[in-house]
Amino acid sequence: METREVHRNEYTISTDKDKLDILSIHKFLANETDWAHGIPINTLQTSIENSLNFGLYYKNKQIGFARIISDYSTIAYLGDVYVLEEYRGKGLSKWLINEIMTHPNLQGLRRWILLTNTAEWLYKKFGFTNVSNPEFYMEKHDPKVYKPKAKNHTDKT
């Protein structure tokens, strides 16, 4: 897939994986979010390798991120969206979501999925709504997946 890059003053949005500051993304997701709290860096790296990523930069500093999981023909999942707190209120999250929603490889999809308990106002601007038939949706969710497992002290290995 072709790398895309757009600029607005000293800000850049890029889909170039090589530009991503994995340590910065990990620091934010692992420490500042409920949804990925404690995520191991190798898990994050694997998720990035298998996603379409959007890095948001001020000059060359990573200040935001989002990723898409998709088959590029019928469905896309939008996840791990953030903008560092000191850069919020400048329209950057709206710009980031707009660049995602208008990406050429993400057009004509039947369904977009997003799980969020914050910034509903932002996503509604791009056509996201509450699930109309929640009784159709199922999930297998393990919110403790990133928490260290307690060692069994009776284990003799």
Side-chain angles (χ1 to χ4, degrees):
M1 185 172 314
E2 183 178 320
T3 298
R4 293 178 47 91
E5 194 165 285
V6 292
H7 304 277
R8 180 184 288 173
N9 300 320
E10 296 182 280
Y11 296 95
T12 301
I13 295 174
S14 176
T15 61
D16 185 351
K17 285 182 190 178
D18 293 333
K19 281 188 157 194
L20 295 172
D21 181 346
I22 303 296
L23 294 177
S24 171
I25 297 167
H26 180 255
K27 180 180 177 186
F28 186 87
L29 292 177
N31 298 306
E32 304 295 327
T33 68
D34 292 333
W35 72 85
H37 188 80
I39 188 171
I41 195 162
N42 60 331
T43 300
L44 174 65
Q45 288 172 314
T46 300
S47 73
I48 286 172
E49 281 305 313
N50 292 291
S51 300
L52 173 58
N53 304 278
F54 292 78
L56 173 62
Y57 307 90
Y58 175 69
K59 298 183 180 177
N60 287 317
K61 177 186 176 189
Q62 180 104 39
I63 63 164
F65 177 73
R67 67 188 186 92
I68 297 292
I69 304 166
S70 182
D71 63 6
Y72 302 107
S73 59
T74 63
I75 192 167
Y77 171 82
L78 171 61
D80 293 337
V81 180
Y82 76 86
V83 174
L84 294 178
E85 189 170 352
E86 58 266 33
Y87 295 93
R88 294 176 190 164
K90 301 174 187 296
L92 297 172
S93 60
K94 185 177 178 185
W95 182 41
L96 178 61
I97 300 302
N98 186 66
E99 288 303 318
I100 292 167
M101 300 302 294
T102 60
H103 189 283
N105 294 93
L106 299 173
Q107 300 310 299
L109 301 176
R110 184 186 63 212
R111 177 164 288 142
W112 283 81
I113 300 169
L114 164 68
L115 300 171
T116 187
N117 63 2
T118 60
E120 282 186 30
W121 58 269
L122 171 64
Y123 303 111
K124 285 183 178 182
K125 290 180 181 185
F126 292 93
F128 284 89
T129 62
N130 292 334
V131 176
S132 59
N133 295 311
E135 65 275 11
F136 294 167
Y137 282 78
M138 296 177 66
E139 72 176 348
K140 181 178 176 190
H141 181 229
D142 183 355
K144 298 178 182 177
V145 69
Y146 304 136
K147 294 195 186 302
K149 307 282 189 263
K151 289 189 176 187
N152 184 344
H153 295 290
T154 60
D155 203 10
K156 297 190 181 195
T157 57

